[in-house]
Amino acid sequence: AVTTHIEVLPPSMSLAGDATQQVIVRAHLSDGTVEDVTEWAKFSTNADTLIEVGEDGLVKVIGTGSGAISVYYDSKVASAEVAVA
C-alpha cells in the first residue's frame, strides 16, 4: 500500500505560557488502513521564535503569537496551526 495523505492531530492548537503539546502523525494508505507514523515523520516550524518542535513531535511554547508546524512523511506534507497566548 502507498501513502495517499498524512494528517496531524490535533490540526490546530491553542496553547499558553510554557505549555507543551504532543502531536500525532497518521498516514492514510491506499488500502484503507491508517498508521501512526509519528516516530518517522520530520517536523519543522515557520515560527521558531514562538514554538519549538522536537523530532518526536513535541511542540513547546517559547513565545507568543501564531504560527504553524509542518510535517513531512513519505513525500507527503501536512501542517497544524498553533496559537499562543
Side-chain angles (χ1 to χ4, degrees), residues 4-66:
T4 59
H5 68 282
I6 61 173
E7 69 177 329
V8 183
L9 300 173
S12 65
M13 296 162 257
S14 182
L15 305 173
D18 58 354
T20 59
Q21 171 72 54
Q22 177 66 50
V23 297
I24 304 298
V25 182
R26 299 193 324 169
H28 292 256
L29 306 179
S30 58
D31 63 3
T33 60
V34 179
E35 296 181 358
D36 181 342
V37 295
T38 307
E39 67 181 291
W40 298 288
K42 300 293 183 200
F43 301 89
S44 66
T45 178
N46 68 354
D48 55 6
T49 60
L50 166 69
I51 53 175
E52 294 176 341
V53 58
E55 291 182 8
D56 58 356
L58 185 66
V59 177
K60 180 179 178 184
V61 172
I62 58 173
T64 58
S66 62

